[in-house]
Amino acid sequence: MKKMELIEQVVEATGKPKRQVREIADALLTAIHGQLQAGEVVVIPPLGRIVVRKIGEGEEQRTAYKLVLATKSEAEPASS
């Protein structure tokens, strides 16, 4: 799924204007990107969590991001 496909789905699901959804999506993705660059784990129920991994050492070191999908029970909203 590409970003514009995600935006289209949110527009359809919410009935909100595409411009408003795009602005919110951009802000959301920018915030997530900032947290990942800072080395933080990002937890997004019901999706799961995004974990930062450093691979290699020295100048060869790379940063990888691993998405750990939530289990079915974690993805379900808590009942009141």
Side-chain angles (χ1 to χ4, degrees):
M1 172 182 288
K2 294 184 179 183
K3 180 177 148 185
M4 286 310 299
E5 294 168 327
L6 175 63
I7 289 170
E8 288 294 335
Q9 285 189 15
V10 173
V11 167
E12 288 178 28
T14 64
K16 300 290 182 190
K18 186 186 282 189
R19 179 180 176 158
Q20 184 180 11
V21 171
R22 186 180 315 116
E23 289 173 357
I24 292 168
D26 286 343
L28 175 67
L29 295 171
T30 298
I32 292 169
H33 182 262
Q35 290 297 299
L36 292 172
Q37 277 202 310
E40 299 292 327
V41 173
V42 176
V43 181
I44 307 172
L47 179 63
R49 65 186 187 277
I50 305 169
V51 181
V52 180
R53 300 272 189 233
K54 298 293 183 183
I55 301 170
E57 294 183 18
E59 290 184 22
E60 299 294 319
Q61 188 176 54
R62 300 175 314 180
T63 303
Y65 302 96
K66 179 180 180 181
L67 172 61
V68 180
L69 293 176
T71 63
K72 185 175 181 174
S73 63
E74 292 172 332
E76 294 173 356
S79 58
S80 302

